[in-house]
Amino acid sequence: MGGFEGHLYPGLSLFFYGLYHARLVSRALICNAPVQYPPRHPWNKGRWARLRQICYVGLLKILSACILVAQELHSIPTQFVLISKIYHQRNFMYRKQWQHLTFYMTIFLSGCVDVVSQNLLPQRCAALEQSVQALGVFISLPLMVSHMQDTEGVELQSHMLLTQAMFLLMLVVIAELWAPNVPLVWMMKAFLYTITGSWLMQMGFMLYKPISGYKWMDDDENDIAFVTTFFCWHVVFSAILMIWIYSFSFLWYCYIFVNG
């Protein structure tokens, strides 16, 4: 993702998506739900009743993808093309921007499938939603590997750590296809989504808007070493956040919601 906004907005999307799954996991574990994705209930009569039953996660995915695409296109100063022909030569243009758009396309596709499965089909098809989600993560991994080709120093180290988290996320979402009702898989998926999102936002601050006001130096071994340290802090932060969400959900479903 290019620029500060190109790291911040996708990071926020992935981070909040991880929080959403953390809430689903907590609810499923506390309420002893057999599946993480409950089947959709029959539509109630009345316009406002139907609106309350609509699942908005897919719509939010579509909206997020459109915003990310608009931000990416706005950052391109000249005409956005795939191939430029100059002096009888073929040159591919804006390779990183096309990588970003391909990643955003997977989010848009996942949102469309969620909308159809959750709101239009007679019966919700969670397997289809999980398959498209796994496809998106699988596509993102080789894009990220290619994204690191001309990077070095702090940028290379931060992208390597991001790729590591995305590789683990890919293994988890693929495992979910064969084990869709295993709570540990749900928990790891939410955990890795929050890590990926928070670290992507951290990369935006490190590479483009350092909080300290001092630029990170690619030739400083201490700066490169502290990139890994900060990543480990993000892992701990995500674990604490998962525990906090579960604790709050426990209080909500066992005491507040029951009493209400």
Side-chain angles (χ1 to χ4, degrees), residues 87-129:
Y87 301 113
H88 305 287
Q89 293 182 351
R90 184 264 301 149
N91 296 317
F92 284 104
M93 304 290 293
Y94 303 109
R95 61 180 181 86
K96 289 193 173 183
Q97 283 77 7
W98 280 107
Q99 291 173 349
H100 302 163
L101 292 177
T102 304
F103 172 66
Y104 302 153
M105 179 189 67
T106 62
I107 299 178
F108 182 83
L109 178 62
S110 178
C112 293
V113 171
D114 287 356
V115 169
V116 173
S117 174
Q118 298 171 9
N119 300 309
L120 300 180
L121 293 181
Q123 184 177 2
R124 181 174 184 177
C125 185
L128 179 61
E129 299 175 32

Side-chain angles (χ1 to χ4, degrees), residues 3-5 39 88-89 96 133 162 170 189 249-250 255:
F4 175 73
E5 292 81 5
H88 305 287
Q89 293 182 351
K96 289 193 173 183
Q133 184 181 153
L162 178 63
M170 182 192 71
K189 182 174 71 172
S249 299
F250 182 81
Y255 297 99

Side-chain angles (χ1 to χ4, degrees), residues 71-82:
Q71 185 273 330
E72 189 70 34
L73 296 177
H74 179 72
S75 63
I76 299 175
T78 58
Q79 184 179 5
F80 185 57
V81 295
L82 176 62

